[in-house]
Amino acid sequence: MSIQLTTEETILRDKIVVLMEKIKKKFDQFSIGNEVHEFIEEAGTLSHQLHMSLKERNHEPRHHKYMVKNRELAVEHPDFYKHVHPIEDLLKFLDNEKANDDPVDQTIGCEFKFEIYTRRWEHNDIYTIKRTQDGWHVSFKMINGPCDKGGNPFLYRNFDQDSVSYPSGLEYWLESLWNQAESKGLSQVEVQQALDELAKWVVVTEKNAPSGGVWGDY
């Protein structure tokens, strides 16, 4: 459902649209000079005015959490809109109040399997990983506990306990998965599939670690 604008708000929106068309044309021409910055500055100022006008009428524009986080400014700050992306989202909001609503986080409290292989015991082990408000809860035999979004500390304590080799980037990708589950509202199936991919990565790393010869005791 689109927002019903006042006459003054309509004028502001139309000016913003014209400026955005000019900005996009410059981008298409790979021209990012002073003129583009001036267009963005002007469009940002007008967008702020439009935002505050809508807020006064109880129609304050909403933005995705990541947008507010990336801008590192409150939405009411005069400089918040001095960037192309929040201006684009403002225009989307005018056409549809729900356009910038964040997806519902579906998997807090859900349990997942994380199946790896250990050369030490020559068989597969299945860890239980629950997604929590702050990260993950890892459970496997005697080493269990709450972890951050990257799996620290208990996922890696389990690996170290059984001398499992794992990719150095695992922490980054596990944290990325947690964040995507929140921001994109990933389903339980999607999160499990992603964890399966990460677990296979661990298996490949473990199976391809040096062995035999001088590495016989590792």
Side-chain angles (χ1 to χ4, degrees):
M1 180 178 178
S2 61
I3 301 291
Q4 296 299 313
L5 303 178
T6 65
T7 300
E8 292 78 10
E9 290 168 348
T10 300
I11 292 172
L12 286 171
R13 181 201 60 192
D14 291 347
K15 288 181 178 179
I16 294 167
V17 169
V18 170
L19 286 166
M20 288 297 287
E21 289 174 350
K22 291 180 179 179
I23 292 167
K24 290 178 180 177
K25 185 176 181 180
K26 289 291 185 181
F27 283 169
D28 290 341
Q29 297 171 347
F30 301 100
S31 175
I32 307 177
N34 290 334
E35 189 175 26
V36 173
H37 292 297
E38 290 173 1
F39 289 156
I40 294 174
E41 185 82 11
E42 184 178 356
T45 298
L46 295 173
S47 296
H48 173 70
Q49 293 173 10
L50 179 53
H51 181 111
M52 300 310 293
S53 176
L54 290 166
K55 182 179 180 180
E56 289 176 2
R57 297 199 300 112
N58 296 319
H59 290 294
E60 183 174 14
R62 294 189 295 274
H63 289 274
H64 293 295
K65 290 179 182 177
Y66 72 82
M67 183 67 69
V68 178
K69 180 180 179 181
N70 290 346
R71 292 299 291 139
E72 298 182 335
L73 293 168
V75 293
E76 298 89 354
H77 193 284
D79 291 338
F80 178 81
Y81 284 104
K82 292 182 179 178
H83 190 283
V84 170
H85 293 158
I87 298 173
E88 289 176 333
D89 278 2
L90 173 63
L91 295 176
K92 290 177 184 176
F93 176 83
L94 298 181
D95 290 334
N96 179 1
E97 286 186 85
K98 297 184 180 296
N100 300 326
D101 288 356
D102 288 305
V104 175
D105 192 336
Q106 303 181 58
T107 56
I108 294 295
C110 291
E111 289 190 350
F112 304 93
K113 294 180 179 179
F114 196 82
E115 185 171 358
I116 65 165
Y117 173 80
T118 62
R119 290 188 303 162
R120 180 181 182 183
W121 304 114
E122 297 183 339
H123 62 63
N124 287 5
D125 286 325
I126 299 177
Y127 295 11
T128 298
I129 299 183
K130 179 188 292 186
R131 188 162 173 268
T132 65
Q133 292 287 349
D134 302 315
W136 310 90
H137 187 282
V138 173
S139 300
F140 181 67
K141 294 184 178 179
M142 300 300 293
I143 301 179
N144 312 282
C147 302
D148 63 16
K149 296 176 184 179
N152 290 297
F154 293 105
L155 179 62
Y156 306 103
R157 286 186 186 175
N158 273 294
F159 289 165
D160 293 342
Q161 171 71 18
D162 287 330
S163 302
V164 174
S165 296
Y166 57 90
S168 60
L170 181 61
E171 178 182 351
Y172 168 82
W173 289 102
L174 195 57
E175 180 174 351
S176 176
L177 173 58
W178 194 101
N179 289 333
Q180 288 190 66
E182 178 187 43
S183 64
K184 297 180 180 179
L186 299 182
S187 68
Q188 188 167 355
V189 171
E190 289 173 317
V191 174
Q192 183 61 68
Q193 289 174 340
L195 285 171
D196 288 344
E197 292 180 22
L198 295 180
K200 288 177 183 177
W201 190 20
V202 174
V203 171
V204 169
T205 304
E206 169 72 349
K207 287 186 174 181
N208 285 278
S211 61
V214 298
W215 310 109
D217 295 330
Y218 289 85

